[in-house]
Each structure stands twice: as C-alpha cells, then as structure tokens.
Amino acid sequence: MKSEQLSRRSLLKTSAAATIMSASTAFGYQANSALTIGLIGCGGRGMYVSGIFAKNEFARVSAYCDIYQDKLDGAAKKYSGAKAFTKFQDLLASDVDAVLIATPAFLHPEHFEAAVKSRKHIFLEKPAGVDAQGCRRVLAAAKKADPTKRISMDFQQRYGKDYRHAYEVVKSGELGAIKQIRAAWMGGGPAIKTGHAESEEKIRNWFFYRELSGDILIEQDCHNIDVVNWFMGKHPVKVSGYGSQVQRHKGNIYDNLSLSFQFDDGVICSYAANQFGNPGWQDISESFICEQGVVNTSRKGIKIYRPGKDVEEAVTKHDITEDNVNQFIEGARTGKLENAALWGAESTMTAVMALQACTSGKEATWEKVYNS
C-alpha cells in the first residue's frame, strides 16, 4: 500500500463523498424517534460518554457489552431495561441503530471493522489503533462503510464551537499563514486499577501497556496531534523526539516526552507532554503562531491575538465531548453525515510515527512508518 493513498487530497475526496447526504435518504423513521445506542466497553470512558448519550432526548442506550461481570452490573444499574451482551458480535447483530465503541485502544480496529460490516452508525473512541497496521485496517474499513451511516470519532476539539471559531479565523487567512506551532499535554494520567485477579491485570490496566494503548502518545496525545493536523490541513512528514519514564513506574509506557514535528513546507511543531500530575498547574493546549497574529486553543477556551487590537477571548464552560455526542445524534437521525475515521486514522498514524521516533531514538518519516 502506497503512502499516497492517505494523502490529504484523497482523504478529503473520499470523506466528501461519504459526508454529503440528503436528509431524505432513509432517515425519516429516525427523525421522529430516539436513536438506540449499543455500548461496547463499559469501563470508565464508556460509561461516561454513554451517559452523555443518555441525556439527549433523541437517544436511548438500549444495549451494552463487556467481558467482565462487574462492568455489566454497573451498566445494568445505570441503564435499566437495556439488554446485556458478553460478545460484541452479538450486540452488533442486534437491532440497535448506533454503537459507541469504548474498548481498549488495541481492539478498536477489530471492533470498528465489525461495526462497519453490521451497517450501524458508529461513534468510535480515539485512537484508531495502536500501530500502523491497525490504522490501515480502520482506514480500509472506513472506505467500505455504508454511506448512509454516520461515523464519528471522539476527537472532541473538532466539534467544540470555540475550537471551530479559532479554526475559521486561521483558515480565513486574516492572520496570514501558520509559521510555527507549539502544543502540549502537561497534566495527569488515569488512575491505576487494583483489586482484580492477576490474570486480568493487562486488560484492567490496559492504558499502562504500550502494546494495548499505544503509550501516552497514541492514546492521549493524539488529541493535540489531531488539532495540529486539522489546522494545518495535512500531516507532518517527519518527527524526532525522546520519551522516558522518570516518575510513574507502572507498565512500560512513558510518563513524559518531547517531540519536534516538521511539515513539508518547513513549518515546525514543538510538542511536550507529561503525566506527572503537576499539582495546581497544567497546560493542555495548542498555539498557532501566524504571520500577523497568534491563536491559542484549549478545551477551556481560546485566545486570538491580533496586532493593535484587544485579545479576543472565549471561555468554554462545558465538556466539548457533549458537542461531539450531540452532533453525532443529530447527524445520524437527520442525515447530516460524516466519515471521521478517514482523518481519525491519519491523526492516529501521525502519533504512531511520533512513538516510533521516541522508541528508536531516530528521526521517523511518514512514508516509512505508514508502509511499515
């Protein structure tokens, strides 16, 4: 498979064909009824995001699936009357309209591929996978998806109104071209789970094992990377960097790292991340330094700096995951479609490239990593 197959132009062309759809296309029955949701993976994230679905008057969690009884018991308490499954294949064979895939990251390619074949609307937690093979698998499945189904990924920034406003300002050309980027995720990490059998350790604490999560770079830092790709309109072509484990000694993942990405036009993105917990301080943001101004974005809000003008500032007071979920529900019900797995796989592949640079101690290129 050639790397050109994942070029920005081919992605946008494919995405546009899958996105533009009239609301008159077989959605009438859903427009007047609640979208039924099947949850695959009843862990912390799955229960949280499904709870957002449940709060929407046009959605109803009617099924859930997990391999552990305690997780099924928790879902049963929250979603009384919903049907329980222990095999995701059985849930996909049921009559739910849409599925929320919130399983460990290494399972995403398999579960996404099966969901596409079941012809459901799909809301996939990020990342697309934990390696190049997984990303290619998701991309291939996305290209075969039913064009009458909505596919969204939980890259929340793309759906928040403040992020979208910042994006429109940058893309309008008002501030000139992007000349440099700085991004960071300096904060805490997930809690370490205890009290389970030793045989369940890796799945219960999957985040802390690189082969299951893709390390902090792929599982967490892909959020910043996706924003950078989105604003730039393309992926970087190479990256160098380092990661280490100096404070949290659990599993085999980094707890801090530093990277330098380069795009084909010479623009450089400096990136740093840690999961130290940093009491009282964190920096989870992206800054785009343009020819005539600067745009700073984060989940807490945005700031836009223009020459000779007051700083434009907007504070985001809610979890923008809500924006993503609510737009997914509306889109699935009314025919406002997208195929986010196309660009979601690209952003995840960028994180895969970055991880390879860190683990090898050598510069990694897009072409080599994509074809690995």
Side-chain angles (χ1 to χ4, degrees):
M1 182 180 293
K2 300 293 184 181
S3 61
E4 287 81 358
Q5 290 179 290
L6 197 56
S7 68
R8 172 60 52 174
R9 182 173 298 176
S10 66
L11 276 169
L12 291 178
K13 183 177 180 180
T14 306
S15 181
T19 300
I20 301 173
M21 178 68 63
S22 170
S24 63
T25 309
F27 290 93
Y29 82 98
Q30 287 182 359
N32 297 308
S33 61
L35 192 74
T36 55
I37 309 296
L39 167 63
I40 302 177
C42 302
R45 186 64 185 175
M47 293 300 288
Y48 175 73
V49 177
S50 63
I52 297 175
F53 272 93
K55 290 178 181 178
N56 188 301
E57 64 178 314
F58 298 112
R60 176 171 58 87
V61 178
S62 62
Y64 53 86
C65 175
D66 205 279
I67 63 173
Y68 293 125
Q69 189 60 50
D70 60 309
K71 300 300 182 183
L72 293 172
D73 292 343
K77 291 179 181 179
K78 188 169 185 176
Y79 303 120
S80 176
K83 188 172 182 180
F85 294 91
T86 57
K87 296 180 179 180
F88 73 90
Q89 297 94 334
D90 292 338
L91 184 147
L92 291 174
S94 72
D95 61 357
V96 296
D97 299 317
V99 292
L100 162 58
I101 301 174
T103 48
F106 78 103
L107 293 172
H108 289 181
E110 177 186 3
H111 291 172
F112 176 76
E113 187 177 66
V116 167
K117 291 179 180 178
S118 74
R119 301 172 71 87
K120 308 290 188 186
H121 299 288
I122 303 168
F123 189 97
L124 176 66
E125 280 298 318
K126 52 75 197 161
V130 300
D131 53 26
Q133 181 181 7
C135 292
R136 290 194 296 267
R137 188 174 177 181
V138 167
L139 179 64
K143 289 180 177 179
K144 297 177 182 178
D146 183 342
T148 69
K149 303 301 180 183
R150 181 176 175 111
I151 298 175
S152 297
M153 284 189 70
D154 205 6
F155 284 108
Q156 303 96 318
Q157 286 91 325
R158 293 205 185 213
Y159 303 90
K161 67 180 182 64
D162 295 325
Y163 259 99
R164 287 189 169 187
H165 173 61
Y167 171 80
E168 291 300 329
V169 169
V170 170
K171 300 313 290 183
S172 73
E174 171 194 349
L175 304 179
I178 296 172
K179 292 301 180 182
Q180 187 180 23
I181 305 167
R182 175 192 174 278
W185 190 298
M186 312 290 279
I192 298 173
K193 297 180 176 64
T194 59
H196 49 264
E198 181 61 29
S199 61
E200 300 175 357
E201 163 58 20
K202 278 203 166 184
I203 296 298
R204 295 284 190 172
N205 278 310
W206 62 269
F207 180 88
F208 299 97
Y209 298 94
R210 184 175 293 157
E211 62 272 24
L212 305 185
S213 68
D215 212 293
I216 66 173
L217 249 172
I218 297 174
E219 205 287 328
Q220 174 187 273
D221 302 336
C222 62
H223 281 296
N224 301 115
I225 290 169
D226 179 63
V227 173
V228 172
N229 281 5
W230 176 31
F231 276 58
M232 286 294 291
K234 55 188 175 183
H235 59 255
V237 294
K238 56 185 177 181
V239 58
S240 59
Y242 299 94
S244 64
Q245 189 182 66
V246 297
Q247 181 165 305
R248 180 187 58 207
H249 300 289
K250 170 67 177 178
N252 61 355
I253 64 171
Y254 297 134
D255 62 9
N256 77 108
L257 54 87
S258 180
L259 297 160
S260 181
F261 294 92
Q262 187 170 351
F263 288 82
D264 58 5
D265 56 5
V267 171
I268 294 172
C269 171
S270 299
Y271 186 75
N274 75 32
Q275 289 191 342
F276 293 165
N278 311 319
W281 174 84
Q282 68 175 18
D283 179 8
I284 303 173
S285 67
E286 306 84 25
S287 294
F288 299 91
I289 297 88
C290 304
E291 292 173 303
Q292 300 173 43
V294 176
V295 173
N296 176 259
T297 54
S298 79
R299 299 185 189 191
K300 293 184 177 181
I302 64 169
K303 293 182 179 180
I304 302 175
Y305 301 81
R306 299 177 174 88
K309 296 183 179 180
D310 292 338
V311 177
E312 178 184 345
E313 184 172 3
V315 177
T316 305
K317 298 181 179 180
H318 66 286
D319 181 354
I320 55 178
T321 304
E322 297 172 14
D323 299 323
N324 191 2
V325 169
N326 292 334
Q327 288 174 48
F328 173 82
I329 294 169
E330 179 187 5
R333 293 178 63 253
T334 65
K336 297 177 182 177
L337 304 181
E338 68 170 355
N339 192 336
L342 297 169
W343 49 259
E346 180 184 22
S347 293
T348 303
M349 186 71 78
T350 307
V352 170
M353 177 175 67
L355 180 61
Q356 181 165 317
C358 288
T359 57
S360 69
K362 301 177 181 178
E363 180 180 83
T365 66
W366 175 269
E367 183 174 4
K368 185 175 181 179
V369 172
Y370 184 80
N371 290 297
S372 62

